[in-house]
Amino acid sequence: MDINGVLFDILVVLVAAKVAAEIADRIGLPAVVGEIVAGVLIGPSVLRLVEPNDVLATLAELGVILLLLDVGMEMDLADLGKVGRAAIGVATVGVIVPFGAGIGGSLALGLDLQEAVFLGAALTATSVGITARVFGDLRALATVEARTVLGAAVADDVMGLLILTVVTRVVTEGSVSVLGVVQLTVLAVGFLVVATILGLRFAPPLFRMVARRSRSNGTLVAMALAFTLALSEVAHLVQLAPIIGAFVAGLALARTGPSERIRRELAPIGHLFIPVFFLQIGIDADIGEFAKPEALGLAAVLLVIAVVGKLVASAGLFGSPGDRLLVGIGMVPRGEVGLIFATLGLREGVFGDDVYASLLIVVLVTTLATPPALRWRLNKLRAGSDEGDGGSLIGAVEAARRAGTESLSDHDLAKMREVAPGVRKLDAATQQALLGLVVAGNERSWRMLTVTGVLDRALPELAEVFDDAGHESFADPLVAFRWPRVQRLREEGTIDPVLLLAALALDATGNTDHDAVGVALATGERLGLPAADLAALGSLVGDTELLAGGARRPDGLGEEPVQTLAAHLGSAERVDRLARLTIAGGELDEWECERIEALAGLVGEVLAAEETEGTASVLDLERRRADALGLLGSPSEAESLRLVHEAPRAYLLRNDAATVARHATRRAQPVGRSEVRVFVDPVDAADRTRPTDATGAADGSDAGGQEWRVEFVARDRLGLLAREARALSEFRADVLDATVVTWPGGRALSSFRVRSSAAPDGNALAARMRELLILPLAAAPTDELELAFDDHGSPWHTRCTARGPNRLGVLAAVTTAFAVAGASVHSATISGDSDRVNDVFELTNSRGAKLDERVKRRIVSALRDGSVRAARGPRVRATR
């Protein structure tokens, strides 16, 4: 076969499989139905995109092997043992009745004996994979009925495959002896017993050694897959279907030490290949045969036999616990083994496309009809149970707690099933029991609550998250209940329910689209947390990246960021909780953990020092404000005094009292909308208490200085900082650092420390600024600068770091890109050396919120492609 054709077939199959699964999930159908229908659509029957071929058949076989490996890894042998007698009874009746009725019905419709025997055999086996998936979707895997059905499905698969082997011998060789049948039965049963015993004995130490000694990535999962294929091949050698070997391999691998890692690493392989098996069913189908009267008539008869034959199989319970009708419905779906029969019959020429089409109709209808029938029966059973105000619910929670360490009795499972449908209002005892699970329950406890549907009734928001997270892994049923943050906090002895619930919400929603804050608050409210604890919970989850982002800042341990975090967090308890939650998240280097601890310690010290004041305000801020007011002195300077009182917190933290007083004095003077004032001072005189009001060099200054403080006073508007930076670059002034501040009413002041060979001409700068204010914003394109955005380093702003070669006009280019994208600059820290710049800006959008991804992309694009924007635009505050 042409390699390009093979690659195209694989492309079409993979895309079709995932699209079909997504559509089926959204309309409430099992994914397997969508995949089979997709196979019909892309196959020869409809679109003819893919033809049956050996490559796809091989991939499909690998997919069904992975599916049965998954089922085996989910099985608990102890649980299967408890329902062993009932499962064997159900399986025996469920094989004999459909087999005999299938032969009789087929003969009555005029088919020959070989066709009748094949069809009867094809109706014997319940689909293990489909049944497990349907019970899982309905959160009923832990019920005694589900365990009975799954055990019976495995048993009738083995029985069915024995029948298949005998029937195939009859077809291919013309006859088979009684001794041959006995020999085949002994081989099959012997393989199951011996392979299971040896696998459980030798697989655990073997894979512990592989996990311990392997160094190459993928070695463990490769060996697990090889082990599975080896057992599949042995099963084939003893004339069983390879999928039985895969099932036994799953039972053995589930008991190995690194089983969780094997499940996790197998998941991507399963996502690729398992759907191919179900698509192959549809690809092989000739849909034209579906409409033929003879195919439809045969399908109707076979469907009745298939359904009734499995419903009466529940008679095999023989007094064992469980609802007979639920067990019977659970046995109805056909799948893997039945399709093996059908495919083999078509390949050997036992029957034609019309009979094959009839079997496919039976598979599709039984698979499609089973989920709603099971849902109906389960709801009816639950509706008839105890509907008190929480008695059965607390019993279910206690049973789930025990499930974390022991196998549950049938009585416990009955308690869990008896919880009435619908979301329940929790009483205090049940709330405390569930909080106890948050503090001490393990993943098995939470999975038991989920698969039995109890969590849907108690904590529906959390149940929805677990359901979505569980869909992400085909081979790891506990993946949604493994919470690294929670585990690390428990290991250090944490019993704080607020902190653990915050960790649970973050862990559970980590790989989903759910809002962690919303889930945490909804769950906390249902658990009866007091209002103060609910507020603390929401803040913890919302601020989870705050300390890590602050610690990564080069100046993160400085006065300003520490004081800012102290003002935001407000209490030492909240700081401690947030630090522990952040470090428990993992994926941090050692230096990051040390910085987070150091930052939390500094913030805690600030808050502890303020505790005597009974307020979360930062004392140093008020002290600095008072010092600036003292420097202003005269009450006649009322406007300057007001500006100091209204100065933003971050600005006060960043500047000393003398600078604040100077800025207030300069900004207090009235400025018209088109007017700009410029003050120029030598750097060594820029911090004097009562600065000189000048539009050129300060009176008496030494014009030979190389560094200057240039300060602009103007009405705030979009792109003001960009225009100021452009004016300075045009006058060949190299910006060394900058401070930007605005006050209520649109009053803005920008202070630049620049290097220039001569004192900048304040009059000329002011005149140029008046011209720029009526000109469009413009900057030449540049691809030399790298922009990095950080949404976690500040509670209020997005931090943007610009790095690249130090060129004249760099600041103008970056700030113009901000203005073009509609981003407001709240502060700027200009740093670097003669070769490179490392400038940091704190930004928000026009509504004062952190930047979204769209605005970030616009900034990057404006910088790369050049920036042009009209002079007029909405007023945007530059600092707050």
Side-chain angles (χ1 to χ4, degrees):
M1 177 179 287
D2 176 47
I3 186 64
N4 291 328
V6 171
L7 294 177
F8 178 76
D9 286 351
I10 295 174
L11 164 68
V12 172
V13 165
L14 293 180
V15 172
K18 288 308 166 188
V19 171
E22 289 290 334
I23 294 174
D25 187 62
R26 280 164 172 73
I27 61 177
L29 293 176
V32 61
V33 174
E35 289 158 359
I36 293 174
V37 172
V40 172
L41 292 177
I42 65 174
S45 298
V46 182
L47 299 177
R48 299 182 179 275
L49 295 175
V50 175
E51 296 286 339
N53 59 68
D54 292 339
V55 174
L56 289 182
T58 302
L59 295 180
E61 183 68 18
L62 181 58
V64 74
I65 285 173
L66 287 169
L67 177 61
L68 268 294
L69 169 64
D70 169 35
V71 172
M73 293 188 78
E74 285 200 47
M75 284 290 176
D76 188 318
L77 283 177
D79 287 343
L80 280 178
K82 290 181 180 179
V83 296
R85 184 173 64 86
I88 294 298
V90 170
T92 302
V93 177
V95 167
I96 293 174
V97 174
F99 185 48
I103 293 174
S106 300
L107 291 174
L109 290 174
L111 275 68
D112 63 35
L113 183 59
Q114 283 190 356
E115 289 178 309
V117 170
F118 251 92
L119 286 177
L123 298 179
T124 59
T126 296
S127 168
V128 180
I130 293 173
T131 301
R133 184 180 290 191
V134 170
F135 271 115
D137 288 344
L138 295 174
R139 305 188 190 284
L141 272 174
T143 62
V144 65
E145 292 89 354
R147 290 185 296 163
T148 301
V149 169
L150 291 177
V154 172
D156 74 10
D157 270 2
V158 174
M159 295 178 191
L161 290 168
L162 287 173
I163 295 172
L164 171 64
T165 304
V166 173
V167 170
T168 303
R169 286 285 184 89
V170 171
V171 171
T172 56
E173 299 178 10
S175 64
V176 64
S177 65
V178 174
L179 180 61
V181 173
V182 173
Q183 182 181 10
L184 290 173
T185 303
V186 170
L187 275 174
V189 175
F191 167 77
L192 285 173
V193 174
V194 173
T196 301
I197 293 174
L198 293 180
L200 294 175
R201 174 65 182 84
F202 293 106
L206 172 64
F207 281 92
R208 277 198 301 270
M209 181 189 70
V210 172
R212 187 173 59 252
R213 298 190 178 182
S214 61
R215 300 189 178 214
S216 172
N217 290 333
T219 299
L220 180 65
V221 71
M223 293 300 295
L225 190 56
F227 177 72
T228 303
L229 294 175
L231 281 182
S232 298
E233 179 60 24
V234 173
H236 174 69
L237 291 176
V238 298
Q239 300 176 344
L240 280 174
I243 57 175
I244 301 300
F247 177 77
V248 173
L251 292 175
L253 289 174
R255 275 78 193 161
T256 62
S259 61
E260 293 180 8
R261 180 179 164 193
I262 292 172
R263 286 187 177 108
R264 186 170 60 251
E265 295 183 4
L266 274 173
I269 305 173
H271 287 315
L272 285 175
F273 293 113
I274 291 178
V276 177
F277 169 71
F278 295 105
L279 261 81
Q280 183 71 23
I281 296 170
I283 292 171
D284 287 339
D286 183 355
I287 197 151
E289 299 290 337
F290 285 18
K292 292 184 177 179
E294 56 270 27
L296 291 175
L298 178 59
V301 173
L302 294 178
L303 185 58
V304 171
I305 293 171
V307 173
V308 174
K310 291 300 183 180
L311 289 178
V312 301
S314 60
L317 286 173
F318 300 127
S320 299
D323 180 72
R324 290 174 179 266
L325 182 55
L326 185 61
V327 169
I329 295 172
M331 294 291 293
V332 165
R334 303 310 202 270
E336 307 91 286
V337 176
L339 290 165
I340 291 171
F341 276 87
T343 302
L344 183 60
L346 185 65
R347 186 187 309 142
E348 296 292 334
V350 177
F351 46 68
D353 288 337
D354 54 345
V355 176
Y356 183 75
S358 299
L359 281 176
L360 277 186
I361 292 173
V362 172
V363 170
L364 286 171
V365 172
T366 55
T367 302
L368 189 62
T370 299
L374 281 174
R375 184 178 292 112
W376 164 79
R377 186 57 184 169
L378 279 169
N379 287 340
K380 187 171 182 180
L381 289 172
R382 288 167 177 164
S385 66
D386 175 19
E387 297 193 20
D389 291 330
S392 60
L393 188 55
I394 193 172
V397 175
E398 290 298 329
R401 181 184 58 78
R402 290 193 296 276
T405 56
E406 60 189 64
S407 295
L408 294 184
S409 66
D410 292 335
H411 177 68
D412 285 330
L413 291 171
K415 277 187 179 180
M416 303 192 82
R417 193 183 69 186
E418 287 172 359
V419 178
V423 178
R424 304 286 294 276
K425 182 177 180 180
L426 307 181
D427 60 19
T430 305
Q431 289 172 340
Q432 288 304 309
L434 285 167
L435 278 173
L437 282 186
V438 173
V439 173
N442 63 20
E443 61 263 29
R444 292 187 179 278
S445 297
W446 285 96
R447 183 172 186 253
M448 183 62 68
L449 285 178
T450 303
V451 300
T452 55
V454 173
L455 201 65
D456 283 315
R457 289 145 182 78
L459 303 173
E461 294 84 5
L462 204 56
E464 184 179 354
V465 173
F466 292 162
D467 186 46
D468 288 351
H471 284 167
E472 296 298 317
S473 175
F474 93 98
D476 190 355
L478 297 177
V479 68
F481 312 98
R482 292 194 177 92
W483 308 318
R485 288 181 179 85
V486 174
Q487 185 60 34
R488 293 186 186 103
L489 289 171
R490 285 174 178 166
E491 289 171 357
E492 65 182 42
T494 299
I495 58 172
D496 179 355
V498 172
L499 181 55
L500 287 169
L501 193 54
L504 190 157
L506 289 167
D507 285 336
T509 59
N511 295 320
T512 73
D513 294 329
H514 292 272
D515 173 35
V517 175
V519 170
L521 290 176
T523 303
E525 187 174 1
R526 291 188 185 279
L527 292 175
L529 292 185
D533 285 348
L534 275 178
L537 176 62
S539 299
L540 263 180
V541 178
D543 289 339
T544 184
E545 295 290 343
L546 191 58
L547 284 181
R552 294 185 186 107
R553 291 174 56 171
D555 62 341
L557 303 185
E559 179 186 14
E560 178 208 336
V562 169
Q563 299 277 33
T564 302
L565 283 172
H568 176 69
L569 295 174
S571 73
E573 181 186 32
R574 187 174 169 192
V575 174
D576 177 67
R577 279 173 165 171
L578 186 57
R580 294 167 65 193
L581 183 65
T582 303
I583 293 173
E587 300 179 0
L588 295 171
D589 293 333
E590 185 176 352
W591 71 268
E592 291 177 300
C593 293
E594 292 174 354
R595 290 270 292 185
I596 290 169
E597 290 173 346
L599 178 58
L602 291 172
V603 174
E605 290 176 11
V606 170
L607 291 167
E610 297 163 7
E611 231 174 64
T612 57
E613 299 296 321
T615 175
S617 65
V618 181
L619 294 181
D620 283 352
L621 287 178
E622 299 309 319
R623 189 177 301 114
R624 190 164 298 175
R625 197 188 306 272
D627 290 344
L629 291 170
L631 291 172
L632 289 170
S634 173
S636 63
E637 300 183 24
E639 183 64 13
S640 298
L641 295 171
R642 187 178 68 80
L643 291 174
V644 172
H645 279 294
E646 294 178 350
R649 179 188 299 270
Y651 164 74
L652 287 173
L653 289 171
R654 193 175 291 114
N655 296 278
D656 59 28
T659 300
V660 173
R662 182 179 75 247
H663 289 171
T665 299
R666 288 179 170 174
R667 187 61 193 88
Q669 302 174 30
V671 178
R673 177 146 186 88
S674 60
E675 184 180 1
V676 179
R677 293 179 181 272
V678 180
F679 299 82
V680 181
D681 298 288
V683 165
D684 58 353
D687 294 331
R688 59 193 174 187
T689 302
R690 300 300 300 275
T692 302
D693 183 355
T695 55
D699 290 343
S701 65
D702 180 7
Q706 296 298 303
E707 290 189 8
W708 307 87
R709 180 72 62 188
V710 180
E711 295 181 336
F712 295 84
V713 176
R715 297 290 298 273
D716 189 23
R717 70 197 69 201
L718 183 67
L720 179 63
L721 180 61
R723 292 179 170 89
E724 292 166 347
R726 178 177 172 182
L728 289 171
S729 69
E730 290 178 357
F731 280 79
R732 313 299 295 175
D734 188 15
V735 177
L736 303 178
D737 64 42
T739 297
V740 183
V741 61
T742 63
W743 282 268
R747 302 179 178 204
L749 182 145
S750 303
S751 179
F752 298 87
R753 184 168 65 91
V754 303
R755 181 182 291 113
S756 178
S757 58
D761 186 336
N763 288 323
L765 281 170
R768 180 55 178 156
M769 277 297 300
R770 287 192 291 271
E771 295 173 356
L772 291 175
L773 287 176
I774 62 174
L775 293 175
L777 280 171
T782 177
D783 57 3
E784 295 183 318
L785 292 177
E786 175 188 349
L787 298 184
F789 296 95
D790 174 18
D791 290 318
H792 307 305
S794 165
W796 305 285
H797 309 129
T798 295
R799 289 168 54 87
C800 175
T801 302
R803 299 184 181 92
N806 194 350
R807 303 275 190 271
L808 195 64
V810 163
L811 180 61
V814 174
T815 52
T816 300
F818 293 155
V820 167
S824 305
V825 179
H826 288 250
S827 69
T829 302
I830 311 301
S831 61
D833 52 36
S834 58
D835 296 324
R836 297 187 64 77
V837 296
N838 187 35
D839 301 343
V840 180
F841 305 87
E842 292 193 341
L843 311 173
T844 64
N845 60 22
S846 59
R847 299 182 302 279
K850 292 183 180 183
L851 305 187
D852 58 27
E853 295 302 319
R854 180 181 60 84
V855 175
K856 294 174 186 176
R857 288 194 297 269
R858 289 176 61 186
I859 292 171
V860 173
S861 176
L863 187 65
R864 183 186 63 241
D865 301 333
S867 310
V868 177
R869 183 173 181 134
R872 292 188 177 274
R875 188 175 77 79
V876 181
R877 302 189 69 119
T879 299
R880 187 36 114 195

